[in-house]
Amino acid sequence: MDLHAVCCSLLLLSCTGVCFGKELLLPEIINTAVGENVVITPISIPDRPHLSINWIFNEITILYGPPSGITIYPPYTDRVSMDPTTYALELRSLTESDIGTYSLIVQTPTKIFKSKTSLHVFVPPSNVIIVPSKTELVEFSSTVSLVCSASGSFLSFIWLNGSSEVRSGERVQLTDNNSSLTITSGIRYDTGPYQCEASSIYGKARSPPLKLTIYYGPENVAVEADPVRPFYSSGSNLILTCSAESNPAAEFQWAVNGAKLGEMGQELRLSNIQSSQSGNYTCIAYNKQSLHYSNSEHISVTVLEKISGAALTGPTDDLIEDVSSATLTCKASGTIYSAEWMKDNQKLSASDNITFSNDNRSVMISPVRRRDSGEYQCALSNPFSSDTATYRMIVNFGPDNVIIDGPLEVEEGNKLTLSCRSESTPNASYKWMFNGTLPEVNTAVFTVEQVTSMHTGNYTCIASNPVTRCNASASHVLEVKAGRLSH
């Protein structure tokens, strides 16, 4: 290239004109896009005069003729025009079929000049779609491949999950120039939406969003009660509701104490519940897509029956102090939650001869003592009801501490009264002896209307208990003195 041509080349960097000289020079490469118009302008052309001009596409003549009478050949008749001064060739509405080599031949009286250029017609990104291997996955066990299909030239690809770009990682692989996205061991957070973006120097295009369906669960299965109570009274109503994290929504069935009830659904309604329905209730959740089961922790339901008909029973035989033992037992219908004992309106406590059963519903007194006589009361209760029963216990004892009340001296002619008493249950019977003989007095009181000296002596009272079959006695010495009249 001579100096004139070099100057023209440099000049083109700052202007749009065409240089004239001894060379014919076209741009080396021209890049454009489908649908656009392009003008192929020579960098320089030979000095005039020019005998003919010829533009050729590959081996096909586009136009030919002297500069003043150019003929445009089909199929370019309506798509091509040329500037008669610069010989710039304009191609309109480009298609991919226009890709190729374009040559310009200029004939002068002394020489034929020829130059050529390459036209690259790029297809902008379009028709971007995602082709998935599947759209439904089971968490942790499924793999999905997403392939990006697009029209266009020299495309590059990126993937988006929502607004974030997807990058390769432990479970994510990008292959085939990033046009293929593979997710292994899919998890619930891999649902998307996914978009593929195809781009080139002539633009970008995105696919419609694609969402994946991830089946997971059931997990975190839990049961709630309404109302929530530690105990439920018989005849009340209770609703148990099961929940689980699951996609699709879990199916539920119910079990009590490990045995399936045959009841399906998220709610288990227990109406007019009875104590027989007490137990540990469990919800079993099932996912028909993942084919997984999961059980809830059990929820305890305790139904208490109303307490009624309380009865306190004890010994039917006579009780004898220090000989007999007594067991008092309290019973009632319904659910007994606690039992409390009273004696003579005071709390009954364990002692050396009083013990309680493990369930506190029986009291053993062994041996019985006189202080154990009295009215016993047991109160049976649960959080919703109570009932009370009583029992009177009699401990037979004695006779003990026989005492004779009366004077030690009596004047002749006066009345004598001696009274005998003792500690005994039941009351003791009495008889008297006078100086070792029985005077046939069988009452607690011994009476002599007028004493004489013959009544001086030893009086003995004998007390007898018909139940304990025990006897006890006391003696009383009486002296009868001569009266004043006798002197």
Side-chain angles (χ1 to χ4, degrees):
M1 182 182 297
D2 59 20
L3 181 60
H4 179 73
V6 171
C7 291
C8 287
S9 298
L10 293 174
L11 181 62
L12 284 175
L13 296 176
S14 60
C15 69
T16 58
V18 176
C19 294
F20 292 88
K22 296 181 179 180
E23 295 292 336
L24 175 63
L25 183 62
L26 295 177
E28 183 177 354
I29 297 174
I30 297 175
N31 294 324
T32 186
V34 168
E36 294 185 356
N37 301 336
V38 67
V39 177
I40 305 175
T41 302
I43 297 173
S44 68
I45 56 177
D47 293 331
R48 286 183 171 83
H50 299 156
L51 301 180
S52 65
I53 302 298
N54 188 7
W55 274 100
I56 299 172
F57 170 60
N58 293 336
E59 303 298 330
I60 301 171
T61 298
I62 300 174
L63 58 81
Y64 177 76
S68 58
I70 294 299
T71 300
I72 300 175
Y73 296 94
Y76 294 100
T77 305
D78 298 324
R79 295 184 55 227
V80 167
S81 61
M82 188 189 73
D83 186 313
T85 303
T86 64
Y87 303 153
L89 179 70
E90 181 181 15
L91 291 169
R92 294 180 292 274
S93 301
L94 292 173
T95 67
E96 288 183 275
S97 62
D98 293 319
I99 297 173
T101 301
Y102 288 80
S103 301
L104 173 60
I105 301 172
V106 177
Q107 183 178 1
T108 68
T110 60
K111 188 176 179 181
I112 296 176
F113 294 87
K114 183 177 182 180
S115 184
K116 61 182 179 179
T117 185
S118 295
L119 177 63
H120 295 169
V121 180
F122 292 93
V123 179
S126 64
N127 301 322
V128 185
I129 61 172
I130 299 174
V131 180
S133 61
K134 62 180 73 173
T135 58
E136 298 180 355
L137 292 79
V138 175
E139 189 175 38
F140 306 126
S141 62
S142 294
T143 295
V144 63
S145 294
L146 307 180
V147 177
C148 187
S149 173
S151 299
S153 304
F154 302 100
L155 299 178
S156 60
F157 302 92
I158 63 170
W159 290 87
L160 300 170
N161 183 351
S163 59
S164 301
E165 183 177 349
V166 178
R167 302 183 183 277
S168 294
E170 183 179 355
R171 297 185 303 106
V172 177
Q173 294 83 42
L174 295 172
T175 56
D176 298 332
N177 191 33
N178 285 2
S179 66
S180 180
L181 169 64
T182 301
I183 302 172
T184 58
S185 300
I187 61 176
R188 68 194 66 180
Y189 308 107
D190 293 331
T191 55
Y194 292 94
Q195 284 184 286
C196 171
E197 181 178 277
S199 62
S200 70
I201 61 174
Y202 288 97
K204 299 178 181 180
R206 286 186 183 180
S207 67
L210 171 72
K211 291 201 71 172
L212 300 176
T213 300
I214 312 292
Y215 299 126
Y216 59 85
E219 58 189 40
N220 297 325
V221 184
V223 178
E224 291 186 352
D226 182 22
V228 178
R229 293 174 182 165
F231 308 101
Y232 298 89
S233 63
S234 60
S236 61
N237 299 327
L238 172 63
I239 299 175
L240 301 180
T241 303
C242 191
S243 62
E245 295 179 15
S246 178
N247 183 35
E251 299 174 353
F252 301 103
Q253 57 181 316
W254 296 86
V256 59
N257 298 328
K260 293 181 180 179
L261 292 173
E263 296 285 342
M264 307 293 292
Q266 190 171 9
E267 285 188 350
L268 178 63
R269 292 180 175 268
L270 302 175
S271 301
N272 190 29
I273 54 177
Q274 304 300 317
S275 60
S276 59
Q277 293 174 281
S278 296
N280 294 323
Y281 284 77
T282 306
C283 169
I284 305 167
Y286 172 67
N287 185 318
K288 64 182 180 182
Q289 292 292 342
S290 69
L291 306 181
H292 293 161
Y293 287 90
S294 183
N295 292 359
S296 69
E297 293 291 331
H298 72 259
I299 186 169
S300 180
V301 175
T302 302
V303 182
L304 305 181
E305 299 287 348
K306 181 180 179 181
I307 296 175
S308 62
L312 180 53
T313 59
T316 57
D317 295 333
D318 291 332
L319 299 176
I320 299 175
E321 185 179 37
D322 293 326
V323 174
S324 302
S325 296
T327 300
L328 308 183
T329 302
C330 198
K331 296 181 179 179
S333 299
T335 307
I336 299 172
Y337 188 66
S338 65
E340 293 184 355
W341 290 85
M342 306 280 285
K343 177 181 178 292
D344 297 331
N345 297 320
Q346 299 293 323
K347 182 179 179 180
L348 183 64
S349 301
S351 65
D352 60 334
N353 70 323
I354 297 177
T355 55
F356 293 87
S357 63
N358 291 334
D359 59 7
N360 212 40
R361 297 183 200 175
S362 294
V363 175
M364 175 174 283
I365 306 173
S366 180
V368 294
R369 295 167 182 159
R370 65 190 68 185
R371 67 171 183 263
D372 298 321
S373 293
E375 183 176 87
Y376 289 80
Q377 183 184 71
C378 74
L380 302 177
S381 63
N382 62 38
F384 304 104
S385 62
S386 63
D387 200 5
T388 302
T390 60
Y391 174 84
R392 178 164 290 279
M393 188 168 77
I394 298 175
V395 177
N396 299 285
F397 63 89
D400 294 334
N401 301 321
V402 181
I403 297 174
I404 300 175
D405 295 316
L408 298 176
E409 294 180 354
V410 179
E411 289 184 356
E412 288 184 329
N414 289 338
K415 183 177 181 179
L416 171 64
T417 300
L418 298 177
S419 297
C420 189
R421 54 189 172 89
S422 66
E423 297 176 8
S424 177
T425 297
N427 292 333
S429 61
Y430 300 96
K431 60 182 179 179
W432 293 84
M433 294 182 65
F434 174 61
N435 293 331
T437 63
L438 294 172
E440 298 298 330
V441 176
N442 296 320
T443 62
V445 179
F446 187 100
T447 304
V448 178
E449 292 297 327
Q450 289 184 340
V451 296
T452 65
S453 59
M454 296 177 59
H455 291 106
T456 296
N458 186 16
Y459 292 82
T460 301
C461 172
I462 303 170
S464 299
N465 186 317
V467 176
T468 64
R469 301 182 183 275
C470 293
N471 300 318
S473 63
S475 296
H476 182 82
V477 177
L478 177 69
E479 180 182 357
V480 180
K481 295 184 176 181
R484 294 175 182 174
L485 294 178
S486 63
H487 294 288

